Amino acid sequence: MAQSLSKASTDARRIKRLDDSVVNRIAAGEIIIQPANALKELLENSIDAGSTMIEILVKEGGLKLLQITDNGHGIDKDDMKILCERFTTSKIETYHDLERISTYGFRGEALASISHISRLSVTSKTKASPLAYKCQYVNGQLANSNGRSDPNAEPKPVAGKDGTQITVEDLFYNVPSRLKSFRSKSDEFSKIVDVVTRYAVHTNQVGFSCKKFGEPYLVLSTRPQATTEEKIRSLYGSEVASELLNLNLTSEELSGVDRSPTQDFGLLEVTGFVSNSSYLNKKKITHIFFINDRLVSCNPLKRIINSVYQFFLPKGSHPFVYLSLKIKPENIDVNIHPTKRELRFLYEDDIMEIIRDKLHSLLAATDSSRKFRSQNAISSSKRRPDFDEPDSSSYATHQPIKKYRQENRLVRVDASQAKLESFLNKESSATEETSSPGGAQNLSSSKQDDEVSVGPDANMAQSSYSYNDTEWTDVKLSSIISLKKSVSESADRDLTNIFSNCSYVGIVDEKKRLCCFQSDVRLYVCDYGAVLNELFYQMTLDNFMNYGEMRLVDGVALEEILSALYKSTDEQLKPIEEVILSIWEMKEMFETYFKIKIFEHEGEHRVSCLPLIAKDITFSMSKLPFFFYRLGSLIDYEDEKACLEGIIRELALLHIPEPLVSDEDSEDSSVEHDNNLLSKKEALEHYLEHRVFPLLKQKFLAPKEVDSAVVQIADLPGLYKVFERC
Ligand code: ADP
Ligand code: MG
């Protein structure tokens, strides 16, 4: 032993030609790695043969037996002799054909490969032939009945139906190392079932069935005439099926004209079904992607889909996705991977963006759950959708998506990305972390999170905040359910889309409450007073009975709060006693539903607790007098729905930041006043950008009425035109 080793190291090593059978076996092993690969090839052949019914029988995970029976056009007796030679195919003749072929398999390699690593037999009957013929193959050659390669062997006439039956036995019998690598037969079986399931979802007019050898029942079966939705229902269950959205790109969307009017991306069709944002599913379902009717794994597609869903689904929830793309065959290179599971195509980045935009708008427009999942939205506002890659297992995740740069259409701001401001203003933003506009920042800008002393009104007692994140009360009141329903029904798709893509730019006029935001390539001015009124209404409704508490130790007398209003106006107001009485009479309702707690003490009616409608959303104490006056004078307490809606509307009003009064409007024009105003404006900017806009982006269902509060003032392509002229 030692001798032969040292001999080998001294002699120059000679190159030897490997035996043909070894070469073929190696080649086959690259194409067929596991039984599911063989099955995929065989399925594709059967579909190519125009079958309408395909039956699959499996024993020991496909390693012992893999049999597929179809009713397609069959194989001619004369072709059966060369069927398993390498590069024999009926599907292409010239290299040019390779470039425009639209059938599934085309390299004439599958059957040849399988014959090198298994005992293969084929029985087939064409319509024209009165008989079926059966052949056995070994190492690419016809074999005789002993299973040995025999050039003189002939197809054997047998009785049989139109179509083809392919039987693969003892897969990898001659590749023991591969055989040992399979850990469990049931794993291999489920991979086979997965492949069949996906082809069954995708392939129209073909029925599929799959069964384990020796077991009486089918693991799956679909009818040829079933619709895609029906098939998804029977294969994946009705829970998924009832939450499906149909995704179908129009020819305009396919052409990507708004991306590049001149370039043809070769995208011919994108169709499919995806689950909506109400479908919360903890188990991962592998996305089903077909490109030109071929089942593929497409990492770029997977990446963009995950990035879109991450925005709509809570962490740990997985969508169902089935997408079928048709791309000009000449733009595709399928030969980058031996198993043809991966492929490349031209304009990949643009095509991905077209699909991403479509999926995003589809989900945004139908996202009825937005409003029911407030707590998620609060925590997810801290996520940064574009950076947080949920699936780090895919190898391509580290490759950044290259963008097709078209300067005038680049979206330059993304709210999810860090801004310069966050680097410059570290100190101030840290202290402002809990601040909010108007008087309320004083309330919360204290050192501790929980126990906070109240500042704005010296006569207000100590208060404390608490927010219960853990328990959630499900509200079954029909009036609230119907109010929620009308919110989702009146949502305007386009407007909601604008908000779901928005990023805050800045305040334009703090007196008129106007601010600027960007959405896609367009710039908008909006009346944030009006928009926030709607947003806060929706949030108050969503979180109904689940508000946080702002406790006022000792309480503040309603008499005292209201008298501020009575003093400051000459208008005819309802007598203060009546206002207080109508609130007091409803005090239990206020406490149970709205966390507004009032108690009587020495003849006064003291408010001891107020609601926090959502985390980090507060209000100005100076608005309290109006709030309580309106509660005591405008609400119809007779009708439950009107009453609840009224109170929720009042709470929304209470939360809209007050207009900031500038110095011309105020008698006080001291430097101190200016500074004060400046810091208020800064706090307001911060509040709008970091508290309010994230909510608008993630939760807001914009009703048509808000339309008048939003005006588009510029778009980037338009501005470019102006600059080009200069
Ligand atoms: P390819 O599919 O690339 O042509 P294959 O090795 O998979 O190569 O198949 C070789 C040929 O065998 C096919 O071109 C087709 O003519 C024929 N064939 C294979 N399976 C079937 C089938 N189920 N029904 C009819 N013809 C088949
Ligand atoms: Mg094939």
Side-chain angles (χ1 to χ4, degrees), residues 41-42 44-45 48 91 104-111 340:
E41 293 290 342
L42 300 176
E44 289 173 354
N45 282 345
D48 275 353
K91 297 166 195 170
Y104 292 80
F106 52 81
R107 292 191 301 207
E109 269 187 308
L111 284 177
K340 294 184 274 174

Side-chain angles (χ1 to χ4, degrees), residues 173-186:
Y173 75 96
N174 51 1
V175 196
S177 58
R178 178 65 56 83
L179 206 52
K180 270 189 219 131
S181 72
F182 298 111
R183 266 179 288 135
S184 115
K185 285 169 186 152
S186 65

Side-chain angles (χ1 to χ4, degrees), residues 452-468:
V452 195
S453 59
V454 182
D457 298 80
N459 44 9
M460 280 209 179
Q462 295 276 307
S463 76
S464 71
Y465 288 74
S466 79
Y467 210 96
N468 182 1

Side-chain angles (χ1 to χ4, degrees), residues 184-228:
S184 115
K185 285 169 186 152
S186 65
D187 272 4
E188 297 311 311
F189 182 67
S190 32
K191 285 183 210 162
I192 287 173
V193 175
D194 269 357
V195 171
V196 184
T197 305
R198 288 179 220 159
Y199 270 96
V201 167
H202 175 74
T203 318
N204 287 326
Q205 305 302 323
V206 184
F208 291 81
S209 77
C210 181
K211 179 165 134 36
K212 257 189 194 171
F213 184 86
E215 285 185 5
Y217 56 88
L218 298 171
V219 198
L220 71 83
S221 99
T222 58
R223 291 180 300 117
Q225 291 85 15
T227 64
T228 311

Side-chain angles (χ1 to χ4, degrees), residues 272-540:
F273 285 91
V274 296
S275 58
N276 61 25
S277 56
S278 317
Y279 178 62
L280 303 178
N281 158 51
K282 296 271 165 275
K283 229 175 75 200
K284 210 164 189 166
I285 313 175
T286 314
H287 301 334
I288 311 174
F289 299 140
F290 278 82
I291 296 183
N292 291 9
D293 294 324
R294 179 191 306 281
L295 176 67
V296 293
S297 64
C298 182
N299 280 320
L301 201 51
K302 187 164 133 192
R303 205 159 53 234
I304 58 131
I305 284 171
N306 287 341
S307 80
V308 173
Y309 268 104
Q310 159 164 278
F311 177 76
F312 291 92
L313 292 181
K315 256 206 159 91
S317 245
H318 303 285
F320 168 87
V321 175
Y322 153 58
L323 284 185
S324 160
L325 277 60
K326 297 272 167 71
I327 294 172
K328 277 192 180 158
E330 60 264 34
N331 286 6
I332 299 190
D333 183 0
V334 291
N335 290 318
I336 61 153
H337 197 272
T339 64
K340 294 184 274 174
R341 212 174 141 62
E342 278 169 41
L343 40 75
R344 283 280 132 77
F345 45 90
L346 296 179
Y347 310 111
E348 197 174 273
D349 296 343
D350 296 282
I351 290 178
M352 290 306 121
E353 283 183 24
I354 290 172
I355 297 172
R356 183 184 54 195
D357 290 355
K358 177 69 183 188
L359 181 64
H360 191 282
S361 56
L362 186 68
L363 287 170
T366 51
D367 186 12
S368 59
S369 65
R370 284 185 144 215
K371 57 196 190 68
F372 295 109
R373 243 185 285 123
S374 55
Q375 303 219 339
N376 285 325
I378 292 164
S379 56
S380 65
S381 68
K382 293 185 182 105
R383 276 196 261 148
R384 305 199 305 176
D386 291 349
F387 291 110
D388 194 357
E389 174 57 55
D391 186 2
S392 51
S393 63
S394 69
Y395 79 97
T397 52
H398 305 296
Q399 301 168 0
I401 300 178
K402 266 190 258 119
K403 288 212 168 146
Y404 174 72
R405 278 179 80 89
Q406 223 190 336
E407 289 286 326
N408 62 340
R409 287 178 189 277
L410 278 183
V411 178
R412 279 154 208 280
V413 180
D414 187 323
S416 60
Q417 290 176 15
K419 293 188 179 175
L420 274 182
E421 170 262 334
S422 60
F423 295 98
L424 296 174
N425 255 348
K426 274 230 166 77
E427 252 180 39
S428 61
S429 58
T431 52
E432 275 170 26
E433 210 49 80
T434 49
S435 76
S436 63
Q441 81 261 36
N442 300 327
L443 269 174
S444 45
S445 64
S446 82
K447 313 98 220 158
Q448 254 116 50
D449 322 338
D450 296 319
E451 296 295 313
V452 195
S453 59
V454 182
D457 298 80
N459 44 9
M460 280 209 179
Q462 295 276 307
S463 76
S464 71
Y465 288 74
S466 79
Y467 210 96
N468 182 1
D469 281 282
T470 46
E471 275 172 44
W472 183 263
T473 313
D474 258 340
V475 180
K476 301 213 169 62
L477 279 182
S478 62
S479 48
I480 291 293
I481 292 170
S482 112
L483 289 174
K484 284 181 175 178
K485 194 161 159 249
S486 50
V487 166
S488 48
E489 278 168 4
S490 63
D492 182 84
R493 211 181 151 115
D494 296 336
L495 210 54
T496 302
N497 249 336
I498 292 177
F499 281 105
S500 65
N501 285 315
C502 73
S503 46
Y504 179 75
V505 174
I507 294 180
V508 177
D509 186 331
E510 65 275 16
K511 217 168 66 192
K512 293 195 181 123
R513 289 192 285 212
L514 300 177
C515 75
C516 245
F517 68 87
Q518 184 180 330
S519 180
D520 195 28
V521 290
R522 287 173 275 275
L523 192 64
Y524 297 86
V525 165
C526 86
D527 170 353
Y528 63 79
V531 172
L532 296 194
N533 189 16
E534 277 307 319
L535 173 74
F536 292 145
Y537 171 74
Q538 290 176 14
M539 310 241 340
T540 315

Side-chain angles (χ1 to χ4, degrees), residues 510-511 658-666 673 677:
E510 65 275 16
K511 217 168 66 192
E658 289 185 296
L660 296 185
V661 191
S662 64
D663 35 359
E664 313 93 85
D665 306 285
S666 145
H673 173 87
L677 191 72

